[in-house]
Amino acid sequence: EVQLLESGGGLVQPGGSLRVSCAGSGFSFSGYALSWVRQVPGKGLEWVSTISGSGGSTYYADSVKGRFTISRDNSKNTVSLQMNGLRAEDSAVYFCAKGPSSSSWLADWGQGTLVTVSS
Amino acid sequence: DIVVTQSPDSLAVSLGERATINCKSSQSVLYSSDNNNYLAWYQQKPGQPPKLLFYWASTRESGVPDRFSGSGSGTDFTLTISTLQAEDVAVYYCQQYYRTPITFGQGTRLEIK
């Protein structure tokens, strides 16, 4: 069974940093691209970032480019999103999701971790 | 960026009736070299992550009931639920993956009339 388990969410002040992570199991981790998608509670879905299976290619939404960094450790089956320069508008539930390629559908999703940026 | 627009924003349908949700992309997501439409559909219930229903616009994900169908090509797509069940109450999203950034429609909230 495919499982994606996010962790690391919490409350952070504007301008601060936070790192969220996602641990995968039940599939060949390095064979799949992994993405972060966020959702303000009660609102729609916004793609944030994707990393290829090898980690050699990364992609970012314009809204986070230069502030967020995605990375993965295939030896530990984890993907992380380092978020710097956080703004109130970054507050959302952050989902980790798995797809067959770097631009594809997202077949499996974690339960999400809530990030709140507030003073 | 490819803008994806769904209609309607919300929909109320009686149990056992048909529900239809539309999705329109700002440019074609049909890739001529493989003749595939780079569009997916998701269902999201309260407190849960999205669940994949269809990819390639009409390929049903394993386990999705056959009362759900996806259709369309180019820029215009439709998700149809042939006979609405109570468990189908959810928000439905379409997503294009023709080009990065992948983009989602704003969602359609489906309720029971």
Side-chain angles (χ1 to χ4, degrees):
Chain A
E1 179 192 5
V2 172
Q3 289 195 332
L4 295 166
L5 183 62
E6 301 94 338
S7 61
L11 175 65
V12 61
Q13 292 189 340
S17 298
L18 197 66
R19 186 180 185 90
V20 292
S21 296
C22 172
S25 61
F27 63 100
S28 178
F29 192 80
S30 63
Y32 291 88
L34 289 163
S35 297
W36 289 95
V37 175
R38 66 186 181 184
Q39 184 175 40
V40 175
K43 301 298 184 183
L45 300 168
E46 180 189 15
W47 171 77
V48 174
S49 183
T50 296
I51 188 166
S52 63
S54 67
S57 297
T58 56
Y59 310 86
Y60 299 94
D62 285 347
S63 57
V64 307
K65 200 172 293 183
R67 299 187 299 123
F68 290 11
T69 302
I70 191 171
S71 61
R72 66 190 295 161
D73 184 340
N74 286 341
S75 68
K76 296 182 179 178
N77 287 7
T78 59
V79 60
S80 297
L81 187 68
Q82 176 67 41
M83 302 182 289
N84 300 330
L86 282 162
R87 306 165 180 166
E89 55 265 34
D90 295 318
S91 296
V93 175
Y94 284 72
F95 293 103
C96 172
K98 161 184 159 285
S101 69
S102 296
S103 184
S104 73
W105 62 89
L106 298 169
D108 298 284
W109 298 64
Q111 290 296 313
T113 187
L114 178 63
V115 173
T116 303
V117 184
S118 175
S119 55
Chain B
D1 297 1
I2 297 176
V3 177
V4 180
T5 305
Q6 293 180 226
S7 61
D9 290 334
S10 64
L11 181 63
V13 175
S14 300
L15 291 172
E17 297 300 306
R18 177 184 299 262
T20 301
I21 298 170
N22 301 301
C23 175
K24 187 174 185 68
S25 58
S26 61
Q27 64 184 81
S28 176
V29 297
L30 174 62
Y31 193 32
S32 56
S33 68
D34 61 12
N35 204 36
N36 279 320
N37 287 284
Y38 284 52
L39 188 111
W41 286 98
Y42 300 87
Q43 175 193 66
Q44 187 178 32
K45 297 181 178 180
Q48 296 184 18
K51 172 188 173 184
L52 177 68
L53 298 176
F54 293 92
Y55 54 96
W56 301 134
S58 60
T59 300
R60 189 181 292 107
E61 175 72 336
S62 176
V64 174
D66 60 9
R67 64 180 181 274
F68 290 87
S69 63
S71 63
S73 185
T75 61
D76 293 281
F77 301 89
T78 301
L79 174 69
T80 302
I81 308 172
S82 58
T83 51
L84 188 70
Q85 306 295 308
E87 61 264 33
D88 301 334
V89 169
V91 179
Y92 292 83
Y93 295 93
C94 57
Q95 172 230 332
Q96 68 79 22
Y97 49 95
Y98 182 87
R99 178 173 299 143
T100 301
I102 64 172
T103 46
F104 293 88
Q106 79 277 18
T108 295
R109 184 174 303 276
L110 177 60
E111 300 173 332
I112 304 295
K113 184 186 293 182

